[in-house]
Amino acid sequence: MAKKSSVSKGIAAAFVILTVFALAGIVTMVILYKTQISTMNPTPRPTILPTTPGLPPVMRLPTNLIPQNYKVFLQPHLYTKIIEEVNVTSPNQTMLFTGNSTVDFHCVQKTSTIYLHSSDLAVSGPVVMDKDQNEVIHFSTMKYHDDGSNFLEIHLRDALDAGGNYSLFLAFKGEISQGLDGLFLSTYVEGHPAHEGDTNADRFLAATNFQPSDARRVFPCFDEPEMKAVFDVTIIHRRDNIALGNSGQSDSIILDEEWKYTRFHPTPRMSTYLFAFAVSEFESVSSAHERVDIKTFARPEAIALGHAQYAANITGKVLTFYEKHFGINYQQKKLDQIAMPDLAPSAMENWGLVTYEQGGLLFEEGVSSLLHKELIITLIAHELAHQWFGNLVTMKWWNEIWLNEGFATYMSYFAIDHVEPTFKMLEAFTLSDLRTAFEEDALETSHPLSPPEEDVQANYQSLMMFDAISYSKGAVVLRMLADTVDERVFNKGIKSYLADFSFKNTDQNDLWKYIQKAVDEDGGHTKVAKVMDTWTRQIGYPVITINTTTGDIYQKHFLFNDSSESSLWWYIPIRVKSSKSESTFVWLETSDTVKKDEFISKSGEWILANVNCTGYYRVNYNPENWQRLLTQLETNRFRIPLMNRGQLIDDAFNLARAKLVDVTLALNSTRFLRNETEYLPWESAVKNLQYFVLMFDRSEVYGPMQAYLREQVEGLYNFFRNETDNSQVPTDHSLQHNQITAIEVACSNGLPDCIAMATKMYAKWMNSDNSTNIIHPNLRSAIYCQAVAAGGKEEWEFAWDRFQSSSDTSEKDQLRRALACTKKIWLLNRYLEYTLNPEKIRLMDVASTIDYIAQNVAGQALAWNFIRAHWEYVRQGHAATLVEGVTSRFSTQFELDELERFAVQYELQSAGRAVDQAIEQTRVNIQWISENKEAVLEWFERETAS
């Protein structure tokens, strides 16, 4: 922890000047406290008890007090830069922040106790006022609950009456976090250090990240999403900084030679987790919009070089699209986006001040891959969708966070397609979310989209809800509902839902009612709640099995563990077509086997269900129909819709993992790829074959598998060869993706021409006099990785030197990934050790860096040992992702035993579910390998024998 500096005399001056505004409601903690009690006979300061005897009955706040408005004063004492000067004593950095808050609240049930949240704060000077009578209400004790609830409990001598209006003043101080939560420290280098050890280029900023429940770490508050209020905020900061908040600036006054304050307009009525501010030296670029003042903030150097320009160009367009699509204007006059050097999530939708990892917001011409624009617009579209779904209308509790995240993911599809139509990535994004949700939801340790509220109480349980189920399953289930009731009807219901619940909280029942109303008004017959509750209130999804000879169809809960018993069933909307007919719509509304004409192959034609993948279910067929479909793929693949070409592969491989079809059928589904150049089928095959790689790259199966993949990918590699060899890329975005797929599959499976190309290009870069990089930005990540994998110490250290010296976020990300590709154990061990040093690898990048190393067969065991040895540090990042990545190869009893010990011996918190799922998946892997290894080996040997 950095040293704390003494409080500047400027602070005293700040308090004096702010006293002028006391009559208008802007006061400091000292002036307010003295003003309110000066004419009274206050009780002596109570003894503050450190703990409360026994647990409260629940982890949730009582609902007898409803917050209305907060007045918050905050002063981070941080220096954003410390310049060393000759013969001048430089100040020590300080992590202290101080402040006070006054919350106005309404009492709905008589009580003599106030409960609110406070964590890691020194709270003092409570003053409770009866606003109706303008009287102080004396209190007796103040307790901190040290039980995970973070309750601050204030006992009053007199009760608060139902119907009364009251206020609570509290002063507080705390430490700026050097993690990535609450009010946290972020660092970067501006320009280039003059010499090694020069700290004058170091810059510091303070910013917030509160979701789900870290507002309580910065000021005492009613820190639950349903406790919405208006926030009137003043930030006291050093004069050479700027302060940003949720709302626009209303006033800024210089206090002395060191300090100034910035006051913001009151926010809309919102939840505490959306409260945000930042203090920095950042600069901005503006976006065009007819009503809203939009600015994108970043490091001054990044702004000057135009790295924020792409984000600025599209943000106004995305916002305008949503305003028209929802029929509701964005509710503030300003929207700031800020590219953070450090941030725990990829982005956070704070109302009016959206934060992003800088790599997700900045595009560097000539350095960033052209495909990086897809990531930028995806993040912006997701976060801006939250300004309606999450900010304007908020779920009541964290057990239904999918109402925020699922909607934001689903709506972003349309914004991206509207703003960047040439990307043509709507189908790819949809399939990606479908496959992501399928993978996690095929385990018994999954969870419903809407679990019971009582299952999500503690903070770590709320954090665990931010997963693929809430995001990806939420999105694809909404897509299925829109397809079922008609997108036009769905959108009508959504518009009414948003309009009627603006500034309020909802649960999924409210959503169903509004879509049902739209269905009824349109003359439809779908019973929305009855259908959708089967998809949101129970885990998993079905596989439907169709016999095209008899027309029989039945459903079963799809699980990787075939020994699991489940009686769950769903109302399933099915779009089905044949080689001789167009798509029709049918329902499966029972757990029994039924016959339907639509599924009968009357004259040998193939039947295809789940056309365009609108449903959240897998499809299995009788062997004859599978063979007809695979034959169609090999003879004229274009007769099967593009999305289904990808999904047929995905279904076949996962049905084989669940032992519902023979593994050779899944492998047969990849034969047609020899002539395929479209991205979606290749992407689906590569993702599914990755499971085979993970299971078999430590065994004798891997050699024949690589030989088969070399043969399959050679045509695709040659399709792009002229462009690749000349460091050029296609204009079509999906083909740009597939060019990278071709390089990665060809090189990683030992295609000599690919390895020669990668090592030659990398060597040219290494040997150029001025380090001119001729490798096209799209291709750098793939080529860097393959060249480092094929090379040794020299190639690795060249990449590390470039990583350390580069200020380009895109280049650093590509190099950081490539450094994990080496096959040298000692270099991977060195790289793992670097993750413990935040000056080498930022804390927010630790989990992904270790994950990259674990993806390397040479690094997997190293990474597993490493995270256990350093769990307390590495889990500060994305702990669940870390566990999932490091354990993805686990397929032996020894690895299972180690994983089970890990689950018992380590404090897992938000990684708990990920560990449970890893244990379940490892058991499945062990059994699957024992039953399929011989057949897989024989198949690959047979296919490559000629």
Side-chain angles (χ1 to χ4, degrees), residues 304-509:
L305 293 172
H307 295 169
Q309 195 58 55
Y310 177 70
N313 290 346
I314 62 173
T315 300
K317 297 174 184 177
V318 172
L319 195 69
T320 298
F321 169 79
Y322 284 139
E323 289 182 322
K324 292 178 179 177
H325 191 69
F326 302 140
I328 300 173
N329 283 341
Y330 171 72
Q331 294 294 300
Q332 297 214 67
K333 292 183 178 179
K334 75 96 176 176
L335 170 63
D336 292 334
Q337 302 183 118
I338 182 167
M340 296 290 301
D342 304 279
L343 191 66
S346 297
M348 177 58 206
E349 65 268 19
N350 315 299
W351 208 343
L353 179 57
V354 185
T355 51
Y356 300 83
E357 285 186 5
Q358 63 179 358
L361 198 64
L362 304 181
F363 182 85
E364 299 150 44
E365 210 65 56
V367 177
S368 300
S369 163
L370 299 177
L371 300 175
H372 188 60
K373 290 182 177 180
E374 290 174 12
L375 172 63
I376 294 171
I377 193 171
T378 299
L379 286 174
I380 290 175
H382 185 97
E383 301 312 316
L384 295 197
H386 273 311
Q387 307 302 304
W388 286 265
F389 291 99
N391 298 9
L392 184 64
V393 179
T394 313
M395 78 283 144
K396 289 181 178 177
W397 185 244
W398 301 109
N399 65 310
E400 292 192 324
I401 189 60
W402 79 271
L403 292 174
N404 285 19
E405 301 300 347
F407 261 112
T409 303
Y410 175 64
M411 289 300 171
S412 67
Y413 299 162
F414 303 101
I416 296 165
D417 205 44
H418 175 80
V419 175
E420 291 285 18
T422 61
F423 288 3
K424 298 178 183 176
M425 292 303 294
L426 179 60
E427 292 173 332
F429 290 149
T430 303
L431 271 186
S432 176
D433 279 316
L434 186 63
R435 190 162 47 243
T436 300
F438 274 159
E439 180 80 11
E440 188 157 327
D441 216 13
L443 298 171
E444 290 180 286
T445 43
S446 182
H447 66 86
L449 274 174
S450 294
E453 195 172 321
E454 57 268 21
D455 289 355
V456 184
Q457 294 292 308
N459 185 45
Y460 76 90
Q461 293 171 323
S462 300
L463 283 168
M464 287 196 296
M465 292 301 295
F466 291 83
D467 62 2
I469 301 300
S470 296
Y471 286 74
S472 296
K473 181 179 179 177
V476 296
V477 164
L478 288 170
R479 179 173 178 263
M480 179 173 67
L481 175 58
D483 180 71
T484 301
V485 302
D486 191 276
E487 197 172 296
R488 171 184 52 83
V489 174
F490 178 83
N491 287 336
K492 179 183 177 183
I494 291 306
K495 287 180 180 179
S496 298
Y497 167 82
L498 287 172
D500 288 0
F501 286 102
S502 292
F503 309 107
K504 299 175 184 175
N505 297 76
T506 65
D507 58 30
Q508 69 169 21
N509 293 328

Side-chain angles (χ1 to χ4, degrees), residues 7-308:
V7 177
S8 164
K9 63 180 180 182
I11 304 211
F15 288 159
V16 171
I17 292 176
L18 285 175
T19 306
V20 176
F21 297 89
L23 296 176
I26 303 178
V27 291
T28 63
M29 65 185 88
V30 177
I31 299 298
L32 177 59
Y33 183 68
K34 289 183 177 179
T35 300
Q36 291 185 331
I37 68 168
S38 59
T39 58
M40 304 167 188
N41 183 23
T43 57
R45 180 182 294 273
T47 301
I48 298 180
L49 306 178
T51 60
T52 183
L55 288 168
V58 292
M59 298 287 283
R60 299 282 299 279
L61 288 174
T63 57
N64 52 4
L65 304 177
I66 309 299
Q68 305 292 322
N69 183 83
Y70 291 85
K71 283 187 173 62
V72 181
F73 291 86
L74 279 158
Q75 181 171 20
H77 295 241
L78 182 81
Y79 291 92
T80 56
K81 62 184 172 189
I82 300 175
I83 304 299
E84 301 284 348
E85 298 181 54
V86 177
N87 298 325
V88 176
T89 301
S90 298
N92 291 323
Q93 185 60 279
T94 173
M95 297 292 106
L96 175 70
F97 70 87
T98 55
N100 67 79
S101 64
T102 302
V103 55
D104 298 331
F105 57 89
H106 182 72
C107 180
V108 296
Q109 183 179 2
K110 188 171 183 175
T111 181
S112 58
T113 307
I114 298 172
Y115 286 94
L116 69 165
H117 290 108
S118 178
S119 178
D120 300 328
L121 295 174
V123 180
S124 62
V127 177
V128 180
M129 291 287 295
D130 182 331
K131 295 184 67 179
D132 298 324
Q133 303 298 322
N134 195 29
E135 294 177 349
V136 168
I137 297 175
H138 300 294
F139 69 98
S140 54
T141 60
M142 183 163 64
K143 301 178 183 178
Y144 297 98
H145 288 241
D146 189 21
D147 56 8
S149 69
N150 301 142
F151 286 167
L152 177 62
E153 180 182 350
I154 301 173
H155 285 278
L156 305 175
R157 294 190 173 184
D158 298 306
L160 308 178
D161 293 323
N165 296 297
Y166 302 90
S167 70
L168 168 65
F169 169 90
L170 291 165
F172 53 85
K173 64 180 178 180
E175 292 277 332
I176 298 172
S177 170
Q178 296 191 60
L180 297 172
D181 44 15
L183 176 59
F184 67 93
L185 175 73
S186 181
T187 64
Y188 63 98
V189 174
E190 189 65 24
H192 299 282
H195 53 82
E196 187 175 350
D198 175 29
T199 61
N200 283 354
D202 293 347
R203 297 292 182 269
F204 310 88
L205 66 135
T208 56
N209 188 61
F210 288 167
Q211 193 178 47
S213 50
D214 278 336
R216 65 191 66 175
R217 298 183 64 181
V218 178
F219 63 101
C221 55
F222 296 86
D223 199 11
E224 294 187 0
E226 203 168 0
M227 298 286 195
K228 289 190 171 185
V230 173
F231 296 84
D232 189 340
V233 182
T234 300
I235 304 295
I236 304 171
H237 55 95
R238 297 186 189 277
R239 284 180 57 174
D240 54 355
N241 307 157
I242 61 164
L244 303 175
N246 295 98
S247 297
Q249 178 180 309
S250 66
D251 195 13
S252 183
I253 291 180
I254 295 173
L255 302 176
D256 62 14
E257 69 279 2
E258 189 172 6
W259 297 98
K260 68 188 294 188
Y261 80 76
T262 299
R263 183 182 179 188
F264 300 96
H265 291 292
T267 68
R269 190 167 178 267
M270 67 183 196
S271 303
T272 47
Y273 77 86
L274 296 169
F275 181 104
F277 72 94
V279 176
S280 72
E281 296 183 3
F282 278 13
E283 295 177 0
S284 67
V285 59
S286 296
S287 301
H289 191 279
E290 61 182 11
R291 282 185 315 98
V292 182
D293 181 18
I294 303 174
K295 287 187 171 67
T296 300
F297 288 83
R299 294 173 288 108
E301 183 179 22
I303 294 295
L305 293 172
H307 295 169

